[in-house]
Amino acid sequence: ACAALPAKSGVGEPWLSRAMSGTVLSGTPIAVDVWNLRRLENARLFFLSHMHADHTVGLSSTWSRPVYCSPLTARLLHHRLQVSKCWIRPLEVGQSHVVDEVTVTLIDANHCPGSVMFLFEGTFGTILYTGDFRYTSAMQDEPALRGRHIDYLYLDNTHCYPQRALPSREVATRQAVDLIRAHPHHYVVIGLYTLGKEALLVDLAREFHTWVVVSLWRLEQMRLLELPDVFTSEEGTGRIRVVEVSDVRRDTLITWNMLHPTIAIIPTGRPMKVTHPGMHLIPYSDHSSFTELREFVKWLKPCSVIPILKDEMCQVYFQEFLSSAPQALPELKGSEPALESGQQRRRKRRQKPKSVWKGILPGSVPRGVVFESPEKNTEKPEAPTGAEAPEHSSEPALSSKEGCTGHRDEKEEVSGAQERRARAAPVSNENLVSGFAEKYLLTPLNVLRQNS
């Protein structure tokens, strides 16, 4: 239901601007489903949950930053938006990956082909970003979520309304089958957006032993998704035909019925106006129902729920299921990483240097690399031994692949020059701040003035 119209159609939906999804996760360098670089000064890790248009606004062939997503979304991203392959970083679903300074695990979101949830771990705590998802009880068997303490849950609140009851997709599919069976001499037109509901089409094709007629571009996409061979672009070869949702109108239904008795089905969980007796809404949704959202939060027991759709607040429905709030995590007020207070810095100066892992919350040890703000360091801290997470795959640094230009090369060159000057400066040990300062040779202001 939260899919998108083709870019070429020029047709919009009134809910699309409201449903614009994506955010920079507070206290982290992570941006999910948001691509406006002018408003993302503090973001440097970009993740795409799936290929619906309200999640790709601003993402085009001119994009020149690494994009992390599932392998299937990676294929669609290059095919549909022509984003260069050298900027696309597919990550295997179900495995943990160390991306720069954050550990991320991709989990099947059960929404549309290629859609995933992101589990982020670091010194900022543990964050689960659901993106668009449809909860099922089978998610409780997901190894990455079972027994996991979640500090912040970014939740898909599309259907977070107690009055909006939705059946499971299996029940909705049976409703569609019964409707078609009740019209044995009618052609069937199904209105869909560009991506999603493919499983419904396959089920109907197998139930009625018919081809599903689609447009050429949609047929190409079905093959890219490696779906069962039940689709064709040859007109008149099948009883079921797929059109754009915007094509299911009163005037088109009148025209279709003048040629042959026809019914139209729109599978959606959203309320829509029915303008013709042959137009039928089936409550088939790829978003979690209100009941499913409650069940999901009750099982997960996060410390905090943050609705992804900002104008639809729903935390009140989950208060009874929340765990106690985390004690020492950064305050989620802005997209900038949390900074230490002056009192904490003075206390650290009096202490001996120690491992960067000792400052992490007890019982919430991150599985990734320690996050440090890019303003503080231009080099990555070394990963401590003996603290590796199982099944991690470390992402390599940006390389100069064909057609790509690394954005960090210039910064690293400047950093190297600064470090060489710092080593040449006569720095006294007593002027150095303990901890990272010794490693990166921060030069006191008076020494800089003497050598400037």
Side-chain angles (χ1 to χ4, degrees):
C2 193
L5 295 175
K8 297 180 181 178
S9 70
V11 180
E13 286 293 325
W15 55 265
L16 186 57
S17 60
R18 182 192 72 84
M20 293 287 219
S21 300
T23 187
V24 178
L25 306 189
S26 299
T28 79
I30 301 167
V32 185
D33 296 343
V34 57
W35 313 100
N36 188 340
L37 288 176
R38 293 181 180 178
R39 302 171 62 182
L40 300 176
E41 296 180 358
N42 300 299
R44 53 190 173 83
L45 300 177
F46 300 91
F47 293 84
L48 174 61
S49 65
H50 63 291
M51 274 296 294
H52 282 162
D54 55 322
H55 296 256
T56 60
V57 176
L59 190 55
S60 68
S61 59
T62 61
W63 182 264
S64 57
R65 300 288 193 281
V67 178
Y68 299 94
C69 57
S70 69
L72 188 51
T73 296
R75 276 188 276 169
L76 293 171
L77 180 59
H78 175 69
H79 175 74
R80 287 175 49 182
L81 298 183
Q82 288 77 53
V83 174
S84 176
K85 288 183 178 179
C86 66
W87 295 119
I88 302 175
R89 305 286 197 271
L91 303 177
E92 288 300 324
V93 180
Q95 297 183 11
S96 295
H97 308 265
V98 177
V99 178
D100 199 5
E101 298 163 333
V102 174
T103 296
V104 57
T105 305
L106 280 63
I107 303 166
D108 186 359
N110 193 34
H111 176 66
C112 71
S115 63
V116 292
M117 300 185 282
F118 294 111
L119 181 68
F120 298 107
E121 298 170 271
T123 54
F124 47 77
T126 302
I127 298 174
L128 178 62
Y129 190 96
T130 67
D132 291 348
F133 85 120
R134 183 77 195 252
Y135 170 76
T136 66
S137 57
M139 289 181 178
Q140 298 189 17
D141 296 325
E142 173 60 47
L145 294 179
R146 192 167 56 240
R148 175 75 61 190
H149 172 81
I150 303 296
D151 294 311
Y152 303 99
L153 171 63
Y154 284 78
L155 185 66
D156 171 19
N157 55 314
T158 301
H159 293 314
C160 194
Y161 306 101
Q163 67 276 16
R164 189 177 296 179
L166 289 172
S168 66
R169 284 184 292 199
E170 291 74 20
V171 171
T173 300
R174 180 50 53 187
Q175 292 182 20
V177 169
D178 294 341
L179 176 63
I180 297 173
R181 206 179 298 280
H183 297 79
H185 305 297
H186 286 64
Y187 286 161
V188 179
V189 173
I190 299 181
L192 296 179
Y193 297 108
T194 58
L195 183 66
K197 314 294 196 307
E198 290 82 5
L200 173 63
L201 300 178
V202 173
D203 290 339
L204 294 179
R206 288 172 171 170
E207 180 71 26
F208 294 100
H209 306 286
T210 180
W211 290 98
V212 177
V213 182
V214 297
S215 62
L216 281 172
W217 73 262
R218 197 183 288 270
L219 179 63
E220 186 178 1
Q221 179 170 279
M222 298 300 187
R223 290 172 177 169
L224 190 68
L225 298 175
E226 299 179 350
L227 294 172
D229 187 19
V230 298
F231 302 98
T232 180
S233 60
E234 187 177 348
E235 291 289 343
T237 56
R239 184 184 171 193
I240 300 175
R241 182 160 59 99
V242 175
V243 300
E244 299 297 324
V245 172
S246 57
D247 291 334
V248 181
R249 305 184 304 270
R250 177 179 175 82
D251 58 329
T252 54
L253 272 163
I254 291 174
T255 302
W256 294 333
N257 276 277
M258 290 174 62
L259 301 174
H260 192 281
T262 302
I263 61 171
I265 296 175
I266 299 181
T268 178
R270 299 179 183 274
M272 295 182 66
K273 186 177 181 180
V274 176
T275 58
H276 188 276
M279 179 178 173
H280 302 270
L281 304 182
I282 296 296
Y284 187 105
S285 179
D286 288 329
H287 294 267
S288 302
S289 67
F290 177 76
T291 302
E292 289 166 347
L293 290 175
R294 295 252 304 173
E295 183 180 345
F296 179 65
V297 176
K298 182 179 180 180
W299 166 68
L300 204 58
K301 292 182 174 61
C303 293
S304 177
V305 172
I306 304 170
I308 292 178
L309 298 182
K310 303 299 188 299
D311 61 339
E312 299 291 347
M313 298 296 118
C314 62
Q315 294 96 323
V316 65
Y317 301 121
F318 309 112
Q319 289 297 322
E320 60 185 297
F321 306 134
L322 301 184
S323 300
S324 57
Q327 297 300 314
L329 291 176
E331 292 185 8
L332 298 187
K333 292 183 179 179
S335 57
E336 297 185 2
L339 301 178
E340 292 177 328
S341 66
Q343 183 178 2
Q344 289 173 322
R345 289 194 296 269
R346 288 192 296 271
R347 188 182 301 114
K348 283 189 175 182
R349 290 192 184 101
R350 295 194 295 269
Q351 295 175 351
K352 295 180 180 179
K354 56 184 178 180
S355 169
V356 296
W357 288 88
K358 292 184 179 180
I360 298 171
L361 284 175
S364 182
V365 177
R367 297 166 62 191
V369 182
V370 171
F371 164 69
E372 280 291 318
S373 172
E375 289 89 5
K376 293 183 180 179
N377 306 317
T378 55
E379 295 181 17
K380 299 178 185 177
E382 297 179 359
T385 59
E388 296 182 357
E391 300 182 4
H392 280 200
S393 63
S394 181
E395 290 300 309
L398 290 182
S399 59
S400 56
K401 298 182 182 178
E402 184 178 353
C404 289
T405 303
H407 288 261
R408 291 192 227 169
D409 297 343
E410 184 178 347
K411 292 182 180 179
E412 289 174 355
E413 218 172 292
V414 174
S415 175
Q418 291 175 343
E419 186 174 350
R420 287 192 294 273
R421 287 196 298 269
R423 285 174 178 167
V427 184
S428 173
N429 285 337
E430 63 183 5
N431 290 326
L432 289 175
V433 182
S434 62
F436 280 122
E438 293 182 359
K439 181 174 180 181
Y440 294 105
L441 300 176
L442 301 181
T443 307
L445 183 58
N446 62 333
V447 177
L448 288 174
R449 288 173 176 167
Q450 294 172 7
N451 292 277
S452 63

